[in-house]
């Protein structure tokens, strides 16, 4: 059962790096708690630390066990290594 503590998931890419997928709401409310999330997104985009989809959206709808389809931000592993 889903208990509401799901923040996202991680995935190993072809180069062996960890890529992070964070739920949009969690990113806005928890990760960016003391900041304007739009400003955070702008900085992440400038430094190419968030993956932008082909339709120019910052998030993607992904099917995930426990919750079904949800929107996630795809965070580059370099952000977590800073």
């Amino acid at each position: 059962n889903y208990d509401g503590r799901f923040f996202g998931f991680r995935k190993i890419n072809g180069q062996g790096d960890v890529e992070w997928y964070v739920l949009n709401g969690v990113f806005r409310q928890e990760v960016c708690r003391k900041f304007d999330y739009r400003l955070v997104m702008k900085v992440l985009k400038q430094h190419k630390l968030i993956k932008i989809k082909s339709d120019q959206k910052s998030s993607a709808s992904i099917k995930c066990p426990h919750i079904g389809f949800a929107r996630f931000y795809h965070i580059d592993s370099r952000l977590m290594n800073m």
Side-chain angles (χ1 to χ4, degrees), residues 7 10 13 18 21 26-27 37 51-52 61 65 68-70 74:
F7 295 97
R10 63 185 182 160
N13 67 19
V18 176
Y21 294 81
V26 170
F27 183 83
Y37 82 90
K51 310 267 177 134
I52 305 300
S61 181
F69 280 97
H74 183 179

Side-chain angles (χ1 to χ4, degrees), residues 56-74:
Q56 297 303 308
K57 291 190 177 188
S58 301
S59 64
S61 181
I62 300 172
K63 187 174 183 180
C64 189
H66 310 294
I67 62 172
F69 280 97
R71 293 205 70 83
F72 290 86
Y73 289 118
H74 183 179

Side-chain angles (χ1 to χ4, degrees), residues 23-37:
L23 283 166
N24 286 18
V26 170
F27 183 83
R28 292 176 183 183
Q29 296 169 5
E30 299 293 328
V31 176
C32 301
R33 182 180 302 178
K34 296 184 180 186
F35 303 98
D36 179 349
Y37 82 90

Side-chain angles (χ1 to χ4, degrees), residues 9-13 17-24 27 41 44-45 48-53 57-62 71-80:
F9 61 95
R10 63 185 182 160
K11 184 177 174 182
I12 307 296
N13 67 19
D17 297 320
V18 176
E19 294 183 345
W20 299 89
Y21 294 81
V22 181
L23 283 166
N24 286 18
F27 183 83
M41 289 300 296
L44 291 176
K45 287 178 185 178
K48 297 183 175 143
L49 293 171
I50 190 158
K51 310 267 177 134
I52 305 300
K53 306 304 166 221
K57 291 190 177 188
S58 301
S59 64
S61 181
I62 300 172
R71 293 205 70 83
F72 290 86
Y73 289 118
H74 183 179
I75 310 293
D76 191 285
S77 62
R78 294 176 297 143
L79 179 64
M80 303 303 183

